C-alpha cells in the first residue's frame, strides 16, 4: 500500500523567500532586495560574498526600508577548513546585524588529502560546539544543513537529517529541555535547515522531520531534482520541473509545526542563471503557489 | 576523538573478482573470461547483456574451463518497470546456470512521470517478495544493492544499507531464524550487495554492516569516489585514486564475518573504459593488493 495522498492547501504566498543564489549570476544583493520588493516576495536570504560587496550596514538599511524578512544567512560552517573559527564568528556577527532567522551551516567536507570521514565528522561536531555559545549570545540560531551524499567529500559530510539531529542531541540541545527553558514553540538555538534537494530521497525523511519538531526546523529550502541531472552542484530545477513531491514534504514540515519561510534556492548554471532575474522571480512566485 | 585507525592485513589476492562492466567498452564476455584467467583473477561477475551475446551455455563452459568463480550476476531488479516479473525469472535461471554466488538486484527508480517515492518503494518490496520463492528454489541468493541517493529517481530508490536490511526484515528473512534453518554461516537467500561507491558516505555504514552479518553480506564491490566527480553515473575511480577509505570498509565487512570476493566494478567512460583492458586488469590487481 502506498502512503496516503496528502495534498495540503496551497502555500501562503507571504512565506515565499528568495535565496539570492537563485539569481546571483546577474544581480547583486541591492538588485535582489529591490527585485523581491518589486515582486512582492517578503523574504530574502543573502550570501555572505554578496553582503560583503554591498556592505552590511547598507544591506541592513535597504532590507529594512523594503520591510523584508531575512530568513537566513548563507553561510557559516566549513569546520574542516583552516580559518573556520574566525570566519564563523564573522558570520554570526553578520547574521546578528541582519536579524537573520538563522545562520545556515554548510559544515565542510573531508580535509585536503584525508579519507577520514569519521574524523572529519567529529571535527565538525566540535566546531559547532565551539561557536554555539557566541551564536546563543548573539541570538542567532544555527541551522545545520545536511547536504546530499554526493557532496560528502567536497562540501559537507553531514549528509542526513538523522545525522544532523544526532549532532543537536550530542551538543545538549535537547528538544524538550530547550522547550522548558525557552517556552514551547520558540525557535531553538541549534537545529536544521531542510533543503528538499538534499533530503528528498531519504527513506527516513518523514520520521526525522517529525523528530526535529518545530524548535529545530529552522529553515525550509525548495527547488526540484531534475531527471537527468547533468551536474552534481549546479543543475537544480525550478519547483515543478523535477521529481520531488514538494506538497508532501511541505505537509511533513507543517505537520511537525514548522511555520517559517519557503526559501527558493536554485543553483542552475545551465538554465535559470542564464535568464532575466525578473522572469526567474515571477516564475518562483507562480511555481510556489501551484507546485509546492 | 577519531575512530581508531584500523589497517587490516593486505587482502587475499585470491578474493579479487572482475565485474565485467569495468572493461565492457572493449571486451565481450569471452575476452573477459580469458583475460581474468590470463591475469590470475579468480572471480568474475558478468552482465546479462554480455551473457546473452555470448550465450549462456558457452559462457558456463568457458568459465568452468578456466576454473573461475562467478561472484555475482548483474542484474535483476527494476521492479518499477513493466516486464519486471518475466525479466527477473530469466535472471534467476541464468544465475542458476552460472552457479552465481548471488543475483544483484538494482531495484529500479520512480516509474515514468511519478513522484511517489513511498509507493515505488512498496512496489519494490512486493516485487522482491514475489520472486523470492523462485530464487530459493533455484538456490540463487538475491542481493539487494542500495544505490547512491543520486540514483534514487532513475535507477534505485533503495538508497541505504539500513533501508535494504529493513526490506530483508520485512520479507521474513530474519537473520537468526534463517541461521537456525540453514546452519550458521551459510549464505542467506536474501541479503545485500555492499558497493563502496554507493555507501561510503553513510554515517551508519559500520553499524549497518554489523547488523547485516555474514549471512546477509552477499557481495562486496570496490572502486573509488573521485574528487571532483564529473558525471553521476560513469565517473568512478580506480581504487586508490579517490577518497574512499577502502581498508576501513573491508575491515567492517570482515568484522561482520564476510569472507567472499572483492569485486572491482568501475564505470568510467572518461578514463578506464578508454584504456587497454589488459592494463586495466593489471592495475586492478596491483591496486587491490596495495590500496584496499
Amino acid at each position: 500500500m502506498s502512503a496516503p495522498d496528502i495534498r495540503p492547501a496551497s502555500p501562503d504566498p507571504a512565506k515565499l523567500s528568495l535565496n539570492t543564489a537563485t539569481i546571483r549570476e546577474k544581480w547583486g544583493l541591492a538588485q535582489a532586495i529591490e527585485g523581491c520588493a518589486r515582486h512582492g516576495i517578503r523574504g530574502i536570504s543573502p550570501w555572505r560574498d554578496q553582503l560583503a560587496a554591498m556592505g552590511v550596514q547598507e544591506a541592513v538599511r535597504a532590507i529594512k526600508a523594503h520591510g523584508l524578512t531575512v530568513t537566513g544567512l548563507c553561510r557559516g560552517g566549513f569546520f574542516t577548513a583552516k580559518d573556520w573559527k574566525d570566519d564563523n564568528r564573522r558570520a554570526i556577527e553578520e547574521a546578528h546585524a541582519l536579524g537573520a532567522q538563522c545562520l545556515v551551516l554548510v559544515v565542510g567536507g573531508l580535509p585536503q588529502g584525508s579519507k577520514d570521514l569519521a574524523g572529519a565528522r567529529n571535527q565538525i561536531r566540535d566546531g559547532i560546539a565551539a561557536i554555539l555559545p557566541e551564536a546563543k549570545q548573539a541570538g542567532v540560531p544555527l541551522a545545520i544543513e545536511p547536504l546530499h551524499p554526493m557532496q560528502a567529500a567536497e562540501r559537507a559530510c553531514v549528509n542526513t537529517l538523522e545525522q544532523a539531529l544526532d549532532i543537536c542531541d550530542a551538543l545538549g540541545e535537547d528538544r524538550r529541555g530547550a522547550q522548558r527553558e525557552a517556552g514551547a514553540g520558540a525557535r531553538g538555538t541549534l537545529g536544521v535547515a531542510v533543503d528538499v534537494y538534499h533530503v528528498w530521497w531519504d527513506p527516513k525523511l518523514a520520521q526525522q522531520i517529525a523528530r526535529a519538531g518545530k524548535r529545530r526546523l529552522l529553515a525550509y529550502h525548495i527547488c526540484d531534482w531534475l531527471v537527468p541531472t547533468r551536474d552534481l552542484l549546479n543543475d537544480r530545477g525550478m519547483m515543478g520541473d523535477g521529481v520531488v513531491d514538494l506538497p508532501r514534504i511541505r505537509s511533513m514540515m507543517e505537520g511537525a509545526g514548522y511555520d517559517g519561510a519557503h526559501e527558493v534556492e536554485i543553483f542552475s548554471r545551465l538554465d535559470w542563471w542564464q535568464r532575466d532575474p525578473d522572469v526567474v522571480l515571477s516564475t518562483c512566485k507562480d511555481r510556489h503557489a501551484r507546485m509546492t
Side-chain angles (χ1 to χ4, degrees), chain A:
Chain A
M1 200 189 71
S2 207
D5 192 26
I6 306 161
R7 297 290 102 174
S10 291
D12 179 356
K15 291 195 180 300
L16 183 59
S17 174
L18 177 75
N19 184 299
T20 61
T22 309
I23 39 76
R24 64 168 299 136
E25 293 280 301
K26 294 197 189 288
W27 277 357
L29 183 53
Q31 290 169 294
I33 292 166
E34 284 160 23
C36 283
R38 192 163 63 247
H39 288 269
I41 294 173
R42 308 309 309 146
I44 193 165
S45 182
W47 281 65
R48 290 178 60 213
D49 57 339
Q50 297 182 307
L51 188 64
M54 183 174 185
V56 177
Q57 292 317 316
E58 179 57 19
V60 168
R61 195 205 55 73
I63 287 167
K64 192 171 290 182
H66 288 291
L68 302 183
T69 300
V70 179
T71 61
L73 176 64
C74 290
R75 61 195 183 188
F78 280 87
F79 298 102
T80 50
K82 271 191 180 143
D83 62 339
W84 66 270
K85 199 156 190 178
D86 286 343
D87 191 59
N88 277 285
R89 273 190 187 136
R90 284 191 296 271
I92 289 168
E93 284 165 18
E94 291 165 18
H96 175 76
L98 288 167
Q101 293 183 338
C102 65
L103 173 64
V104 174
L105 300 182
V106 173
V107 299
L110 287 168
Q112 190 71 31
S114 168
K115 301 184 184 189
D116 182 7
L117 204 46
R121 284 167 169 163
N122 290 340
Q123 210 173 325
I124 286 160
R125 182 201 57 209
D126 295 345
I128 297 171
I131 64 166
L132 193 53
E134 288 171 59
K136 275 186 183 166
Q137 200 168 10
V140 172
L142 299 179
I144 304 171
E145 182 171 13
L147 253 56
H148 195 285
M150 68 187 176
Q151 298 297 339
E154 288 166 276
R155 275 172 193 77
C157 44
V158 171
N159 305 104
T160 63
L161 208 44
E162 182 173 30
Q163 187 192 0
L165 291 168
D166 285 349
I167 293 173
C168 295
D169 283 347
L171 299 187
E173 289 295 303
D174 173 65
R175 197 160 68 91
R176 284 172 302 170
Q179 276 173 342
R180 277 196 298 274
E181 194 182 294
R187 216 172 263 272
T189 310
L190 181 61
V192 294
V194 176
D195 183 318
V196 297
Y197 197 74
H198 296 305
V199 303
W200 73 278
W201 60 271
D202 187 347
K204 302 179 89 171
L205 183 59
Q207 182 202 93
Q208 295 298 317
I209 286 176
R211 171 190 171 193
K214 184 180 173 71
R215 279 184 56 81
R216 282 183 175 173
L217 292 172
L218 299 178
Y220 180 50
H221 297 181
I222 56 176
C223 66
D224 215 331
W225 179 278
L226 296 177
V227 175
T229 292
R230 296 159 294 177
D231 182 88
L232 274 72
L233 194 58
N234 294 318
D235 193 24
R236 297 189 182 199
M238 178 63 68
M239 296 80 75
D241 289 345
V243 296
V244 178
D245 190 341
L246 290 157
R248 188 182 300 271
I249 299 179
R250 175 164 63 86
S251 72
M252 292 175 194
M253 294 289 290
E254 290 171 352
Y258 181 75
D259 61 3
H262 308 157
E263 184 178 315
V264 178
E265 184 180 34
I266 302 176
F267 297 83
S268 170
R269 191 177 307 283
L270 299 164
D271 187 350
W272 296 97
W273 285 355
Q274 308 301 326
R275 303 200 197 191
D276 173 359
D278 277 302
V279 171
V280 177
L281 262 55
S282 58
T283 307
C284 287
K285 281 191 71 169
D286 171 58
R287 298 295 185 86
H288 175 245
R290 292 195 299 114
M291 309 297 285
T292 74

